Amino acid sequence: MSTPSGEPQWLSDDEQRAWRAYLRGSRLIEEALDRDLQSHGVQLTEYEIISMLSESPRRRLRMSSLADLVVQSRSRLTHTASRLEKRGWVVRESCLDDKRGVELVLTDAGWQAVQDMARVHVASVRRSVIDPVPAPLFKALGEAMDVIRATLAPGQEGGHPAVAREAQELESDAQADVRRSRVF
Amino acid sequence: MSTPSGEPQWLSDDEQRAWRAYLRGSRLIEEALDRDLQSHGVQLTEYEIISMLSESPRRRLRMSSLADLVVQSRSRLTHTASRLEKRGWVVRESCLDDKRGVELVLTDAGWQAVQDMARVHVASVRRSVIDPVPAPLFKALGEAMDVIRATLAPGQEGGHPAVAREAQELESDAQADVRRSRVF
DNA sequence: GACGGTTAGTTGAAATATAAATGAAGTCTG
DNA sequence: CAGACTTCATTTATATTTCAACTAACCGTC
């Protein structure tokens, strides 16, 4: 054994095939979805941000939680949030309790934008990703990805911590008409 | 029906769960693999490029084919190739037949770099992606992603058009010791 | 063989992303 | 409560990516 810890455990043929299919497929998905959202002048990562906000109880989320949710660095989110703010889609509000914290709030204009874009986007996701794959296989894909999620980001099960509590909290809210957000 | 083409077909709960798991998981994977490759000072996308080259018959590929293979824009590949060239890992050679064309060739230093990084990277892929997922489920994930690949990039089945012919072409080559490249 | 249309690859400027340093406000310990 | 340490978010400086020209070479047709 000359190298540190000897020969690595290379991939089997099956593993390699699957892994390469994943790598290439994931890039193609990103490309396709991004392209379709360009028609509305947003990137997928920006859409993710505002759509997450749109689903949150008071259409707001702390920078940190949001960053974790969409898997972006704090710094990146700061920059992107500023861009979204310039467009008038979000506003920053400082947290009442923790004065270090900042909450990103979706404006009415932002809400409307999400609603519009969601139509395009859901069609795009269907066409590129969901429709071509048989339902059971797609479900398996979801399970596999959730295992990976659990491995790489343990302790963030729901994905969106807020959504679980949404119904009760919002029921008597002015925005109750939102009901289960269909921004998917 | 007030909106163009009426209500979009929103996602079912199963579909939504799977799609979100995918989205989040894919970002986490990218993040994890990228982080691990940072130790060698490369990004995942750069690694993909040189590893593809390392598997090609004469360690060379045309810019366009390579761009398609790794799903990057021509422009992006041009810039990235320049960076890799500065490091001495690749060299540009103009095509003999098609004088518009440029081939990107992996240098010996580049080859060595890939060999070294592959050890780190394969371990990283195993740890983050393959090991946590039961083999059959991972295989399903691969199948699903291949369907998507077929949808979004029809007519690029093998992924690496060159690899299929590699064995025979290379068998009596100076680099025959490469055998089935284990850069995975 | 010259015109129009297309493809290959590059370039340079603008947009976006990453990385390291900063400041301000929390928490924990003694 | 002081000091050390951590977390939150931003800032600044770089690095990378995108986007819109642009040049050169191929291709078909007349």
Side-chain angles (χ1 to χ4, degrees):
Chain A
M1 279 191 203
S2 55
T3 42
S5 74
E7 275 301 298
Q9 193 184 352
W10 299 110
L11 302 190
S12 72
D13 284 354
D14 271 4
E15 288 169 338
Q16 179 163 132
R17 254 194 302 281
W19 169 240
R20 299 215 168 181
Y22 168 80
L23 202 49
R24 217 146 126 62
S26 65
R27 294 280 151 75
L28 288 166
I29 290 173
E30 191 86 12
E31 183 183 59
L33 300 187
D34 235 332
R35 178 163 23 78
D36 290 344
L37 279 172
Q38 293 303 332
S39 58
H40 288 252
V42 288
Q43 306 166 243
L44 180 53
T45 52
E46 293 172 327
Y47 177 81
E48 285 183 80
I49 290 171
I50 54 182
S51 91
M52 286 300 154
L53 289 177
S54 80
E55 291 182 1
S56 294
R58 301 176 53 231
R59 293 183 189 170
R60 69 185 55 223
L61 238 22
R62 267 192 69 161
M63 295 294 279
S64 308
S65 334
L66 185 49
D68 288 345
L69 212 49
V70 299
V71 193
Q72 295 186 17
S73 71
R74 315 301 168 90
S75 175
R76 181 175 183 177
L77 180 56
T78 293
H79 287 299
T80 307
S82 305
R83 254 181 288 143
L84 294 173
E85 204 170 20
K86 268 189 211 135
R87 296 200 183 195
W89 287 349
V90 302
V91 166
R92 275 178 236 249
E93 282 181 23
S94 89
C95 288
L96 301 161
D97 45 328
D98 184 347
K99 282 200 284 195
R100 294 168 304 179
V102 170
E103 282 186 338
L104 207 59
V105 188
L106 194 66
T107 63
D108 287 345
W111 171 265
Q112 192 53 55
V114 175
Q115 302 306 311
D116 295 345
M117 293 185 293
R119 306 174 154 280
V120 175
H121 186 53
V122 70
S124 177
V125 172
R126 272 209 175 286
R127 179 164 20 79
S128 307
V129 183
I130 298 184
D131 289 345
V133 183
L137 197 56
F138 190 66
K139 186 166 183 177
L141 178 144
E143 284 170 33
M145 292 306 278
D146 194 55
V147 174
I148 293 169
R149 196 271 313 139
T151 306
L152 298 179
Q156 295 191 211
E157 284 67 33
H160 204 153
V163 167
R165 311 187 318 274
E166 186 183 11
Q168 33 186 339
E169 289 196 16
L170 256 186
E171 215 43 75
S172 57
D173 192 324
Q175 258 96 49
D177 68 295
V178 174
R179 216 61 68 181
R180 262 311 282 113
S181 162
R182 290 281 48 167
V183 185
F184 90 107
Chain B
M1 279 189 205
S2 55
T3 42
S5 75
E7 272 302 297
Q9 193 186 350
W10 299 110
L11 302 190
S12 73
D13 285 353
D14 270 5
E15 288 169 338
Q16 179 164 135
R17 255 194 303 281
W19 170 241
R20 298 216 168 181
Y22 168 80
L23 204 48
R24 217 147 125 61
S26 66
R27 293 280 151 76
L28 288 166
I29 290 173
E30 191 86 11
E31 184 182 59
L33 300 188
D34 235 332
R35 178 163 24 75
D36 290 345
L37 278 171
Q38 293 303 331
S39 58
H40 287 253
V42 288
Q43 308 167 242
L44 180 53
T45 52
E46 294 172 327
Y47 177 81
E48 285 183 80
I49 290 171
I50 53 181
S51 91
M52 285 301 154
L53 288 177
S54 79
E55 291 183 0
S56 293
R58 301 177 52 229
R59 293 182 188 169
R60 69 185 54 220
L61 237 22
R62 268 188 74 155
M63 295 294 280
S64 308
S65 334
L66 186 49
D68 289 345
L69 212 50
V70 299
V71 193
Q72 294 187 17
S73 71
R74 314 301 166 95
S75 176
R76 179 175 183 177
L77 180 56
T78 293
H79 287 300
T80 306
S82 306
R83 256 180 287 142
L84 294 173
E85 204 170 20
K86 268 190 213 134
R87 296 197 183 198
W89 287 349
V90 302
V91 166
R92 274 178 238 249
E93 283 181 24
S94 89
C95 288
L96 301 162
D97 45 328
D98 185 347
K99 282 199 285 196
R100 294 169 303 180
V102 169
E103 282 187 338
L104 206 59
V105 188
L106 194 65
T107 63
D108 287 346
W111 170 265
Q112 191 54 55
V114 176
Q115 302 306 312
D116 296 344
M117 293 185 292
R119 310 177 151 275
V120 175
H121 186 51
V122 70
S124 178
V125 172
R126 273 212 175 284
R127 179 164 20 80
S128 307
V129 184
I130 298 185
D131 288 346
V133 183
L137 196 57
F138 190 66
K139 188 167 182 176
L141 176 143
E143 284 170 32
M145 293 305 278
D146 195 55
V147 174
I148 293 169
R149 197 271 312 141
T151 306
L152 298 179
Q156 297 191 212
E157 285 66 31
H160 204 155
V163 168
R165 310 188 318 275
E166 185 183 11
Q168 33 187 344
E169 288 197 17
L170 256 187
E171 215 44 73
S172 58
D173 193 324
Q175 259 96 52
D177 68 294
V178 173
R179 215 61 70 182
R180 264 312 284 114
S181 162
R182 291 282 49 168
V183 185
F184 90 107

